[in-house]
Amino acid sequence: MNLIEDLKWRYATKRMNGEDIPIEKLNVIMEAIRFAPTSMGLQPFKVLIVKDKTIREKMKSVCYNQPQITESALMLVFAVWKDGYEEKTEEFIQLIADTRKQTIESLAEFKNRIFGFLPKVDKVAWATRQAYIAFGFGLAAAAMLKVDSTPMEGFISDELDKVLGLEKLGLKSVVIMAIGNRDEAKDYLVSLPKVRKPKEDFFINY
Ligand SMILES: Cc1cc2nc3c(=O)[nH]c(=O)nc-3n(C[C@H](O)[C@H](O)[C@H](O)COP(=O)(O)O)c2cc1C
């Protein structure tokens, strides 16, 4: 396994062939996303796994008709909490207590820190940043499994929320990922070299 070779292999796949991916590989991608770090560990988002073709057809119309939406094996939709942060923080504290066999009282200081922090930030923007870290983990995991993927921001969030009924779940879609298999015959990008800035222009040594 060579991470850099895998990252060079992956590309934002424009055309997919509609074939499924093995469930074992999907499970690894999902676990990579779940195990990504988040600020304070709060994981303030959910990931929807959309396989249903009818739903994906509806999604496509609010994603500028990008073909990957229906040509992929499935779509992952990263959706952040819109509200209820205090209540969900309480649930998170309970999860820590249960997982680590700690008392709620011993976590009071940590909880107060979170409660002190939340009013100071734009919560949805902050949650979105957390979701993007997990999103990156998912892209890297897919590459390591030789599963094709497309990171996608080309969609109308409010419309996608309606298609997926996210409003009633208290969620807001922020970024989506197509997962599937490249269609080498149709995808013009497949043979093009990757474009990245040279190391010398990108990193700054101090
Ligand atoms: C957050 C994000 C959003 C993107 N949105 C789209 C999109 O909606 N549709 C698409 O075809 N590519 C999309 N891309 C793909 C980028 O254009 C692509 O990653 C970039 O040109 C680098 O190429 P590579 O991923 O093939 O190495 C997106 C990439 C990122 C990271």
Side-chain angles (χ1 to χ4, degrees), residues 50-66:
V50 188
K51 284 205 79 170
D52 187 284
K53 248 321 194 6
T54 314
I55 299 176
R56 284 195 283 138
E57 284 292 349
K58 287 187 192 146
M59 281 179 69
K60 190 175 171 183
S61 65
V62 297
C63 299
Y64 303 105
N65 285 314
Q66 298 196 63

Side-chain angles (χ1 to χ4, degrees), residues 7 10-14 66 68 132 135 139 150-155 175-176 189 194-196:
L7 294 180
R10 72 147 290 284
Y11 72 106
T13 311
K14 300 290 178 220
Q66 298 196 63
Q68 306 96 318
Y132 269 79
F135 188 77
L139 291 172
T150 322
M152 302 174 87
E153 277 180 336
F155 62 95
V175 68
I176 64 178
L189 268 179
K194 203 170 260 310
V195 179
R196 291 296 188 271

Side-chain angles (χ1 to χ4, degrees), residues 122-152:
D122 175 336
K123 290 192 264 303
V124 167
W126 171 77
T128 301
R129 291 196 291 275
Q130 312 315 312
Y132 269 79
I133 295 170
F135 188 77
F137 273 49
L139 291 172
M144 291 170 84
L145 296 162
K146 293 283 190 290
V147 169
D148 284 301
S149 64
T150 322
M152 302 174 87

